[in-house]
Amino acid sequence: MKLSDKDLQFFISKIKLQPENMGKYRDQVNNLKEKLDKKIAEDDRHGLKVEKYLLAGSWKKHTILKPTGDHPIDIDLVLFVTGDEDIHNDIGKLFDFIVEYLKEIYPQKDISKDVDAAGNTKSVTIYFSGSGLSVDIVPVVPLSTPKDYVWQPSRHGNGKKYITSISKQLSFSLNRRQENSAYTSIVRAIKWWRNYKELKPSDNEPGLSSFTIELIVAYLDINKGIQTNIEEGIIRFFEFVSSTEFPEITFQDSIRSVPSQYDSAIYVADNTNKENNVAKRMTKPRWNEIIEEAEEAFDTLNFAQARNNEGDTIQEWKSVFGPTFNIK
């Protein structure tokens, strides 16, 4: 039997961050924002300084999941660093500045314990032990042109960086949510499946990032028609990912072009810059594993639709999304 949007919204409501739990995280985020506002307003230093900040990531895009043991809550906070147009060429210096800046904001914190900036990663992470929240502080360097674009350090270090637009990424996500009321539900469900099947990327292994999932769902809406039925949107994702010929995914309003050669198994372009492959770490063996899991999910959910009773249908969905799946 087919499941209605009402059925699936019950499941979605259980896997997303619960409203009653958002307060403690929001309070800590707001406290950090207040400290940043005060610091930015009072900072009269010359040279490097933080000009502004933006909340980003799944918290801002309304696709955040509830925390679990293996997947705690994390929030991206982007700091726009000005005062040296060439600082993007010295990523180490940029991160040193951010760490010192955080020490000034949080003098009571043990920065060596609470801040992780090892390996020149994309972000500096502040941990709040009381709630389990981690805030990824992402430094970016604004460009004079193109407008609204920045240099952003690569997550995996080595001094690499790329050009993107945080504000355009957020606007893109907002447009997707406005055009399709089911967009965030579909993305959340896929992210939960990804976590359950252990397909999330780590420092040591590639996988399906949340951004990649968001962009694939968006690509399907833009190119195949907006799918407001949650069940059909989920099944369409699995069918698309498990297809034998996965296309290069790009978006019309982004700058530049896809490189003529690349090493990754697939190419999913950042919606603001076609040069940026958000799946650049994807290996062929890992992608084959993802294809296999997606194909299994597609076949299972189609079979679930053919089942004659609710109990059998739910059991099929549980095999895809885990034992916690239910519709009431």
Side-chain angles (χ1 to χ4, degrees):
M1 60 175 280
K2 291 187 175 183
L3 300 184
S4 68
D5 282 354
K6 182 179 179 181
D7 291 332
L8 289 171
Q9 283 293 1
F10 180 88
F11 168 60
I12 301 298
S13 70
K14 296 299 182 183
I15 65 174
K16 69 181 183 180
L17 182 60
Q18 302 301 306
E20 62 268 22
N21 295 328
M22 290 187 73
K24 61 181 180 181
Y25 300 117
R26 186 177 286 112
D27 288 346
Q28 286 183 326
V29 172
N30 287 339
N31 179 260
L32 176 55
K33 289 167 63 178
E34 288 173 7
K35 290 179 181 293
L36 282 169
D37 286 333
K38 185 174 187 295
K39 182 68 175 175
I40 291 170
E42 297 176 351
D43 196 353
D44 59 357
R45 77 180 80 193
H46 299 287
L48 291 181
K49 64 190 305 181
V50 174
E51 181 180 81
K52 64 176 183 177
Y53 63 86
L54 282 177
L55 278 173
S58 58
W59 176 282
K60 186 66 174 180
K61 296 175 183 177
H62 299 192
T63 61
I64 196 165
L65 298 177
K66 71 178 184 181
T68 62
D70 294 328
H71 306 286
I73 292 290
D74 61 83
I75 296 173
D76 291 341
L77 187 65
V78 182
L79 300 186
F80 292 73
V81 180
T82 61
D84 182 353
E85 294 182 357
D86 294 324
I87 189 63
H88 65 86
N89 290 319
D90 191 343
I91 301 300
K93 182 179 178 181
L94 177 61
F95 279 106
D96 287 344
F97 166 74
I98 291 298
V99 170
E100 290 304 313
Y101 195 82
L102 292 173
K103 287 180 179 178
E104 294 173 11
I105 292 175
Y106 282 108
Q108 78 281 11
K109 268 188 171 292
D110 181 354
I111 295 298
S112 62
K113 177 182 177 182
D114 293 324
V115 174
D116 175 17
N120 286 339
T121 57
K122 175 186 172 186
S123 60
V124 177
T125 303
I126 304 178
Y127 299 99
F128 294 91
S129 57
S131 64
L133 173 70
S134 63
V135 179
D136 287 340
I137 308 294
V138 185
V140 300
V141 181
L143 281 76
S144 56
T145 184
K147 188 176 183 295
D148 296 325
Y149 280 77
V150 299
W151 286 107
Q152 181 168 316
S154 171
R155 179 176 295 277
H156 298 282
N158 301 319
K160 295 181 179 179
K161 74 276 186 182
Y162 56 93
I163 293 174
T164 189
S165 173
I166 308 301
S167 60
K168 290 181 182 294
Q169 287 179 11
L170 295 177
S171 295
F172 179 84
S173 176
L174 176 59
N175 289 338
R176 303 273 55 82
R177 301 197 304 272
Q178 290 176 335
E179 292 189 15
N180 184 357
S181 59
Y183 175 77
T184 57
S185 295
I186 294 168
V187 169
R188 276 193 172 106
I190 301 301
K191 287 171 64 174
W192 188 265
W193 163 81
R194 183 265 322 263
N195 292 351
Y196 176 60
K197 297 297 181 178
E198 299 182 350
L199 300 174
K200 189 174 183 177
S202 66
D203 289 340
N204 301 317
E205 187 176 30
L208 273 179
S209 69
S210 295
F211 195 20
T212 301
I213 292 170
E214 292 164 7
L215 291 174
I216 292 174
V217 175
Y219 176 86
L220 289 170
D221 268 1
I222 293 168
N223 292 276
K224 307 294 183 182
I226 293 173
Q227 180 54 264
T228 59
N229 181 281
I230 298 172
E231 181 179 64
E232 294 304 325
I234 292 170
I235 292 174
R236 181 170 73 170
F237 177 93
F238 289 136
E239 180 181 24
F240 181 72
V241 169
S242 61
S243 61
T244 55
E245 294 185 4
F246 189 85
E248 288 181 352
I249 290 181
T250 62
F251 297 90
Q252 184 176 6
D253 295 332
S254 58
I255 63 172
R256 304 193 173 178
S257 57
V258 176
S260 58
Q261 293 183 327
Y262 51 85
D263 297 329
S264 59
I266 60 170
Y267 200 99
V268 180
D270 168 3
N271 64 282
T272 74
N273 184 352
K274 297 182 185 71
E275 285 184 337
N276 300 334
N277 181 8
V278 304
K280 63 186 176 184
R281 296 176 62 216
M282 186 66 70
T283 61
K284 191 65 176 177
R286 186 61 161 170
W287 181 240
N288 285 339
E289 182 182 353
I290 291 168
I291 289 175
E292 185 176 334
E293 290 288 0
E295 186 173 22
E296 176 71 20
F298 174 71
D299 291 342
T300 300
L301 296 186
N302 273 288
F303 183 60
Q305 288 185 330
R307 289 290 214 172
N308 293 323
N309 64 75
E310 182 180 292
D312 289 339
T313 298
I314 298 305
Q315 284 305 119
E316 300 298 339
W317 278 78
K318 283 179 182 290
S319 71
V320 175
F321 291 98
T324 60
F325 178 88
N326 217 323
I327 59 173
K328 60 185 175 182

